[in-house]
Amino acid sequence: MVMENSAYKILLVEDDKLDQMAFERLIKGENLPYDYTVAGSVSHARSILDSNVFDVVIVDYSLGDGTAFDVFKLVKDTPIIVTTGIGDEEIAVKAMKAGAYDYLTKDQERNYLKVLPEIIKNVISHKQTEDELKEYHDNLETLVKERTDQLAREKELLSVTLSGMGDGVVAVDAQKRIMLFNKVAENLTGWKFGEVQSKPVDGIFRVVNEQTKKAIKIPIDKVLGSGKVEVWANGEVLVGRDGNKCPISATAAPIRKNDGTIVGVVMVFRDVSRECEIDRMKADIISLVSHELRTPITSIKAYTETLLCAPNMPEQSRRRFLAVIDEESNRLTNLVEGLLELSRIESGAVKIVRKPVDIAAVVNQVSSALQPLADKKHIRLSTDIGRELPKLKGDEGKIRSVVTNLVSNAIKFTPEGGRVSVCVQHGTGELIMRVSDTGMGIPEKELPKIFGRFYRVYRPDTQIQGTGLGLAIVKKIVMMHDGRIEVESEVGKGTTFTVFLPLKVNRLYRKPSEDRKHTSLAKMR
Ligand code: ADP
């Protein structure tokens, strides 16, 4: 860039000696601040331009060894003024098109020299403005590029953060159209972002009340209305695309512009199935403590107090009281043991030790052990075991517990004189064990619930004791062996539990949380 007061560096390319002299005269006469060099030909100009930089190049169109256009090729970033003879205006126009900053028509009297200083000044100032504009443009371009890169980085960071988040994120605009939908949101709703982008959120994000099962409005509406953050944590249930239900908690907050206008809502939500499960377990424990444990304890306490207060009680009553205390403490022990076993299995603390198990031997041992119980009720207990059954890869102790639970239940829930049979056969890639009885049966609506913890069919007319934990433990053990259990029953006729145990082991025991993925284990008739 040329400073106002410093000398302009000028190259004059002119083959006419008189014109050269006139130019020099002008400079000296006017005392112009020019640091000038004169080239008499194109080749001379080339050698000078090779090692010098000028502020302005003044070039005559017609030179001995070429034209001004040949000099154009040698000059890169310096403004050029072209001089032509009178009548050569057409050439001057061409020169302007080729990049000359200005042109001068030489007259006989060399009057054009009078305007030359002014033209040089204008050209330099023009060039200066152009350079500044170019610099400004370059800076702007760099700035735009930097901002674009920064935006792209921020966008990528946002997308990585959103996809890496453990919570679902949905953002909508003021018209409730979906603008953003992360991976977790996709998984929980069953919709892909591409499918729901710009669609109204209501049809996609369906929520029902846990208790009433009635559809409820998502908090987005409220936030758009009030501009306040809304929190949901009351057992709202998200209904996925395929009808799958999942309890969620959610927080919805307004998205505002700098001036405070609400332009949308962002909702963060998460699957709280596990927390709900824990809450349910807590409620179970409380109900257990308040009922299942308290009842035997109250009874033990009452009978013990009576015994203590009546030392002279007749022997027969004393024995009867002691028998009740014994029975109630057995009930307590069974309850506590069952509870401990179930919680050990559910926590994943119990690993099964897989060894070849002779299921026929296990069934025979269990049926021998329970024979006295069956005899007491005159129940015919029979076994029907297929020949040469393959060995099962499993945990013998746990398999025994399954057989014991099912057979003792069958005896327990079958009235005197009934029949209980255990049949084991070889299915395709699995062993199938059926425990059938001719007992009281289970009402159809109870069937899906009997594998739940503490669940006991309400039978006010019977005195049958139990903890409601046996079938829950059976189900867990069967699942640990990658098997499944089904139940068929008819009230007053009998019940059959069928256990399917695969012979090939190809998976590890799944964590209890994966139980949810299993379809209903109960088969109803
Ligand atoms: P418990 O036997 O200790 O009550 P379980 O978990 O073993 O608990 O069984 C849950 C409920 O399922 C029982 O209370 C009973 O009502 C029902 N049930 C289980 N087996 C049978 C059966 N063979 N016949 C009729 N009802 C049964």
Side-chain angles (χ1 to χ4, degrees):
M1 196 179 290
V2 178
M3 304 303 290
E4 196 65 21
N5 295 323
S6 63
Y8 294 154
K9 276 193 82 181
I10 295 176
L11 171 66
L12 175 71
V13 189
E14 174 63 76
D15 61 343
D16 186 326
K17 288 271 180 245
L18 292 176
D19 281 331
Q20 287 178 6
M21 280 157 62
F23 179 72
E24 285 173 11
R25 259 202 317 278
L26 167 79
I27 291 167
K28 284 187 186 126
E30 301 278 329
N31 201 17
L32 293 169
Y34 296 168
D35 170 5
Y36 69 94
T37 309
V38 178
S41 63
V42 176
S43 53
H44 190 190
R46 181 179 290 119
S47 66
I48 294 169
L49 284 164
D50 267 354
S51 48
N52 292 283
V53 178
F54 295 91
D55 297 321
V56 174
V57 174
I58 303 166
V59 56
D60 183 32
Y61 174 69
S62 139
L63 299 160
D65 55 351
T67 68
F69 292 126
D70 295 314
V71 178
F72 272 43
K73 292 176 204 154
L74 307 173
V75 178
K76 272 229 168 74
D77 201 27
T78 308
I80 299 175
I81 301 168
V82 178
T83 54
T84 59
I86 291 186
D88 286 341
E89 280 80 3
E90 220 177 282
I91 289 168
V93 173
K94 263 195 198 167
M96 290 298 282
K97 279 189 185 158
Y101 270 55
D102 214 336
Y103 72 93
L104 275 171
T105 313
K106 291 197 249 176
D107 54 328
Q108 212 79 78
E109 291 76 33
R110 296 195 169 82
N111 282 329
Y112 73 95
L113 286 172
K114 288 185 189 145
V115 291
L116 186 60
E118 194 53 31
I119 286 190
I120 289 174
K121 201 172 153 201
N122 283 346
V123 162
I124 286 176
S125 140
H126 182 172
K127 171 80 169 91
Q128 237 172 306
T129 314
E130 244 185 34
D131 284 350
E132 276 165 20
L133 261 175
K134 190 173 175 304
E135 196 184 331
Y136 176 73
H137 180 261
D138 288 351
N139 286 346
L140 203 67
E141 213 167 82
T142 317
L143 199 74
V144 168
K145 201 182 163 319
E146 271 173 19
R147 291 290 295 145
T148 314
D149 289 352
Q150 191 184 345
L151 276 176
R153 276 198 306 276
E154 277 167 13
K155 208 173 153 206
E156 199 188 324
L157 187 72
L158 181 69
S159 121
V160 169
T161 311
L162 285 177
S163 61
M165 264 174 84
D167 292 349
V169 180
V170 177
V172 298
D173 63 9
Q175 280 71 47
K176 296 204 294 173
R177 286 176 307 219
I178 295 174
M179 310 311 286
L180 197 145
F181 206 70
N182 77 344
K183 219 94 240 88
V184 179
E186 288 188 341
N187 294 342
L188 289 178
T189 60
W191 293 95
K192 291 264 167 254
F193 182 36
E195 297 169 316
V196 299
Q197 191 168 15
S198 303
K199 297 240 172 81
V201 70
D202 288 317
I204 309 297
F205 206 87
R206 289 184 300 135
V207 181
V208 295
N209 179 284
E210 192 193 10
Q211 257 87 47
T212 63
K213 307 280 178 273
K214 281 197 183 140
I216 39 181
K217 279 199 150 202
I218 54 173
I220 285 175
D221 290 284
K222 256 190 161 174
V223 176
L224 282 173
S226 68
K228 292 203 182 107
V229 174
E230 283 289 326
V231 179
W232 257 11
N234 297 312
E236 287 79 6
V237 174
L238 175 69
V239 184
R241 184 183 195 170
D242 53 5
N244 262 2
K245 295 193 174 77
C246 160
I248 55 161
S249 69
T251 306
I255 307 171
R256 293 180 191 275
K257 279 203 299 191
N258 285 347
D259 64 2
T261 331
I262 298 175
V263 288
V265 176
V266 60
M267 184 162 80
V268 180
F269 60 102
R270 63 191 194 88
D271 177 357
V272 290
S273 317
R274 191 74 192 129
E275 284 91 329
C276 289
E277 178 70 14
I278 290 167
D279 283 351
R280 253 196 303 276
M281 278 166 76
K282 278 189 202 154
D284 284 349
I285 300 288
I286 290 166
S287 103
L288 166 82
V289 173
S290 63
H291 180 255
E292 304 291 340
L293 291 178
R294 212 167 54 184
T295 313
I297 289 171
T298 313
S299 153
I300 290 170
K301 196 165 162 24
Y303 281 100
T304 317
E305 274 171 9
T306 315
L307 281 171
L308 287 171
C309 294
N312 301 324
M313 186 185 280
E315 180 60 16
Q316 202 188 357
S317 305
R318 204 176 63 88
R319 284 193 153 274
R320 199 160 48 83
F321 281 23
L322 284 172
V324 173
I325 293 172
D326 184 45
E327 203 175 291
E328 292 297 326
S329 27
N330 281 343
R331 191 170 150 195
L332 267 182
T333 313
N334 288 343
L335 197 62
V336 171
E337 271 173 6
L339 201 60
L340 284 178
E341 164 117 28
L342 193 63
S343 83
R344 274 205 311 269
I345 293 175
E346 288 191 335
S347 69
V350 174
K351 298 272 179 294
I352 55 167
V353 186
R354 285 188 190 264
K355 282 190 185 148
V357 179
D358 181 353
I359 193 147
V362 172
V363 169
N364 284 329
Q365 284 159 13
V366 171
S367 99
S368 303
L370 296 177
Q371 190 63 53
L373 210 65
D375 289 346
K376 233 180 174 177
K377 289 177 80 179
H378 306 289
I379 288 171
R380 212 180 82 210
L381 174 59
S382 62
T383 55
D384 173 10
I385 296 168
R387 286 208 282 148
E388 290 173 20
L389 289 180
K391 290 211 166 151
L392 178 79
K393 272 243 166 138
D395 189 310
E396 188 171 322
K398 298 259 175 308
I399 299 287
R400 180 174 291 110
S401 171
V402 168
V403 184
T404 308
N405 258 300
L406 294 177
V407 178
S408 62
N409 268 354
I411 297 171
K412 201 161 68 169
F413 295 103
T414 298
E416 296 230 349
R419 289 190 310 277
V420 171
S421 66
V422 188
C423 150
V424 189
Q425 65 191 76
H426 188 180
T428 322
E430 60 190 359
L431 285 181
I432 304 168
M433 178 177 73
R434 273 192 192 84
V435 179
S436 309
D437 63 58
T438 58
M440 51 188 67
I442 304 165
E444 194 177 317
K445 66 175 182 15
E446 307 277 356
L447 285 174
K449 306 179 203 161
I450 57 169
F451 295 97
R453 280 181 230 101
F454 307 119
Y455 196 81
R456 308 192 64 223
V457 177
Y458 181 58
R459 300 183 206 273
D461 46 337
T462 66
Q463 295 288 313
I464 302 169
Q465 302 275 2
T467 60
L469 292 172
L471 287 181
I473 294 171
V474 165
K475 178 185 134 182
K476 295 281 173 198
I477 296 176
V478 170
M479 284 175 65
M480 283 167 105
H481 285 81
D482 296 327
R484 66 186 205 283
I485 182 165
E486 290 178 357
V487 55
E488 290 174 72
S489 189
E490 210 171 320
V491 174
K493 291 225 160 141
T495 305
T496 299
F497 282 92
T498 311
V499 177
F500 302 84
L501 293 167
L503 290 163
K504 218 169 166 188
V505 180
N506 46 18
R507 275 179 297 162
L508 288 169
Y509 169 54
R510 292 172 300 273
K511 279 264 151 97
S513 60
E514 290 181 45
D515 291 3
R516 263 178 278 122
K517 290 179 194 148
H518 289 264
T519 48
S520 169
L521 292 161
K523 187 174 147 194
M524 288 161 273
R525 236 173 34 184

